[in-house]
Amino acid sequence: MCHIAAFCLFVCLFVCLVGFFTSEMVKNQTMVTEFLLLGFLLDPRIQMLLSGLLSLFYVFTLLGNGAILGLISLDSRLHTPMYFFLSHLAVVDIAYACNTVPQMLVNLLHPAKPISFAGCMMQTFLCLTFGHSECLLLVAMSYDRYVAICHPLRYSIIVTWRVCITLAITSWTCGFLLALVHVVLILRLPFCGPHEINHFFCEILSVLRLACADTWLNQVVIFAACVFFLVGPLCLVLVSYSCILVAILRIQSGEGHRKAFSTCFSHLCVVGLFFGSAIVMYMAPKSRHPEEQQKILFLFYSFFNPMLNPLIYSLRNIEVKGALRRALCKESHS
C-alpha cells in the first residue's frame, strides 16, 4: 500500500500550498472574513436526533472503507488491478466524508459556529478534488472490467501495473488541477456580504451566490467541468459496459454468466449512485426550491454513497467475502 501513502503525502503537501495561496489572496480580495453555514433549519430536538443518526452513518463509512483498505493490503489475493482501483476509491470516500461531515455535525450541535473564509475555500477545494478524482477512477475501473471480460487472454499484457499507476495518478492530478482552477476563479471575486451560506458545507454553487460580482466565468467553467467530468466519463462507462454485456451474452455456460455479472454488478451500482446524484445536482433544471433540494441530494451523496460503496463491494463480491473470512479465521486462530 505504498502508493496510498505516497498519494496521502502528496495531498497534504498540496493542501498546505493551496492553504497558503488562499490566505494570501483572501487579504486583498474580500471583506468577508468568515461564513455561517445555515445547514438544516429544523427543530433543536430533530437536529439532535439527526446529528446522532448521521454520526452513526459517518462511523459506518469510516469502518466500511477502512475494512476494504485493510483487506486489500493484508490479503495477497486481492493485489490485482481491480482492487488497486478499489483501494483508491475507498480513500476518496473516506477523504470526502472527513472533509464535509464533521463540519456539518458541528453545525447541527452549534448552529451559530462560523467557518473562516480560508477554511471555506479549502473545504470547497477538497470537495471538488475528491469528486473529480472519483469520476475518473470509476472510468479506470470500467476499463479494467472491460479488458478483463472482453479480452481475458490479453488482460495481463494490457492492464499492467504501470498502466494502473498511470491511470490513478492521472485521476488524482486532474482532480487537483481542476479544483484549483475553480478555487482561483472564486478568489478573484469580491465578497462584501451577506455571509450566510444556505448549505451544510461550502458547496461551490452556494458560495458563488454570495459573490458581489458577475460569476458568469465561474458558471461556464462549472458547466464545462460537468460535461468533461460527468457526461464524458459516464459515456465512457456506458460504452465499456455495453461491450461487456455483449461479451457476457456470448458466454455459453450459465456459471460464466453468473460470474461475469457478479463481477460487474457492484461497479454498476456505484456508478449509478455517483453519476446519478451528481448529474441531478449540477445539470438538472432547477425547481422552485433548488437550494433545499440540493441540500438533500448532497446529504445523500456525502453520507450514503461513501457508506454504501464498501457494502456493495463486500456483499456482491465473492473475493472480498473470501478475504474477510480468511482474515477472521486468522484472528480467531491467533
Side-chain angles (χ1 to χ4, degrees), residues 321-332:
K321 289 189 287 187
L324 181 60
R325 282 195 298 268
R326 289 189 293 271
L328 294 176
C329 289
K330 287 181 181 180
E331 183 68 22
S332 61

Side-chain angles (χ1 to χ4, degrees), residues 179-201:
L180 184 61
V181 169
H182 283 299
V183 171
V184 170
L185 290 177
I186 293 175
L187 292 175
R188 60 180 261 281
L189 299 171
F191 288 86
C192 48
H195 66 291
E196 294 180 341
I197 299 177
N198 189 15
H199 218 294
F200 57 82
F201 77 105

Side-chain angles (χ1 to χ4, degrees), residues 257-276:
H257 280 164
R258 186 197 62 79
K259 186 175 181 181
F261 274 117
S262 175
T263 351
C264 300
F265 181 78
S266 57
H267 186 210
L268 278 175
C269 289
V270 174
V271 167
L273 288 172
F274 177 81
F275 284 103

Side-chain angles (χ1 to χ4, degrees), residues 36-228:
L36 285 177
L37 296 170
L38 298 182
F40 297 98
L41 304 177
L42 303 171
D43 183 84
R45 290 175 295 181
I46 298 179
Q47 285 189 338
M48 289 293 293
L49 179 63
L50 184 62
S51 65
L53 185 63
L54 296 183
S55 298
L56 190 61
F57 289 161
Y58 181 51
V59 171
F60 284 156
T61 298
L62 298 183
L63 291 178
N65 287 284
I68 291 288
L69 285 174
L71 288 175
I72 293 173
S73 61
L74 295 175
D75 198 314
S76 60
R77 301 183 190 183
L78 300 183
H79 293 174
T80 62
M82 182 176 74
Y83 295 102
F84 171 83
F85 292 122
L86 179 57
S87 65
H88 282 268
L89 184 63
V91 170
V92 169
D93 286 337
I94 291 174
Y96 190 91
C98 291
N99 182 50
T100 58
V101 175
Q103 182 69 46
M104 186 184 67
L105 295 176
V106 168
N107 289 338
L108 284 172
L109 298 175
H110 305 283
K113 192 171 181 62
I115 181 173
S116 67
F117 187 93
C120 186
M121 293 299 101
M122 183 59 61
Q123 190 180 62
T124 303
F125 168 76
L126 292 176
C127 281
L128 294 171
T129 297
F130 300 135
H132 296 146
S133 300
E134 185 167 356
C135 288
L136 299 179
L137 286 172
L138 290 174
V139 175
M141 293 176 71
S142 69
Y143 173 72
D144 171 74
R145 290 300 85 206
Y146 162 75
V147 177
I149 293 176
C150 298
H151 305 283
L153 299 179
R154 301 173 55 198
Y155 178 75
S156 59
I157 300 174
I158 298 175
V159 186
T160 62
W161 282 111
R162 176 174 293 183
V163 170
C164 293
I165 293 173
T166 302
L167 289 174
I169 292 176
T170 302
S171 301
W172 285 100
T173 304
C174 290
F176 288 145
L177 295 178
L178 184 57
L180 184 61
V181 169
H182 283 299
V183 171
V184 170
L185 290 177
I186 293 175
L187 292 175
R188 60 180 261 281
L189 299 171
F191 288 86
C192 48
H195 66 291
E196 294 180 341
I197 299 177
N198 189 15
H199 218 294
F200 57 82
F201 77 105
C202 292
E203 191 268 329
I204 183 170
L205 295 179
S206 300
V207 173
L208 288 176
R209 292 188 184 100
L210 304 184
C212 303
D214 191 4
T215 60
W216 69 270
L217 181 58
N218 302 75
Q219 300 290 343
V220 168
V221 173
I222 290 173
F223 179 79
C226 289
V227 171
F228 288 104

